[in-house]
Amino acid sequence: MLTILQALLLIIGVLRFLVIAHFIMSWLIRFEVLNVRQEFVGQVWYGLERVLEPIYSRVRRFMPDLGGIDLSPIVVLVGLEILRIFLINNLTAFI
């Protein structure tokens, strides 16, 4: 059971990294520091979009429309952190 818990924590850590990278990259693209027409930047951007959009779309269903502001990455990060804290605090149940 401990191995499953460690695998879940690893997946949560990777997802947190991807969400933060996507969030930072979206701001850099928005302020024209990065250009998606560059091959590497475009590949990374569209790869992150393909991985994270299914998660974001599920969160967006429950969030109110805030105009042009997308808070779904923040909600996903908070949810991942809550899940991580829950798993760590209940570690004794898995041992």
Side-chain angles (χ1 to χ4, degrees), residues 21-72:
H22 184 258
F23 185 75
I24 291 171
M25 207 169 165
S26 69
W27 279 93
L28 292 175
I29 290 170
R30 175 79 173 138
F31 291 117
E32 298 178 3
V33 176
L34 293 177
N35 187 353
V36 291
R37 286 184 232 118
Q38 294 174 341
E39 185 177 348
F40 178 72
V41 174
Q43 287 177 352
V44 171
W45 176 252
Y46 294 121
L48 287 173
E49 283 282 320
R50 289 183 67 163
V51 169
L52 295 173
E53 190 57 36
I55 299 169
Y56 291 163
S57 64
R58 289 188 178 108
V59 171
R60 287 185 190 124
R61 282 188 223 155
F62 300 107
M63 293 183 59
D65 186 21
L66 298 174
I69 300 172
D70 184 19
L71 296 178
S72 57

Side-chain angles (χ1 to χ4, degrees), residues 3-17:
T3 306
I4 294 172
L5 177 69
Q6 289 173 337
L8 286 174
L9 290 174
L10 177 67
I11 291 170
I12 290 171
V14 169
L15 278 174
R16 285 175 52 200
F17 173 77

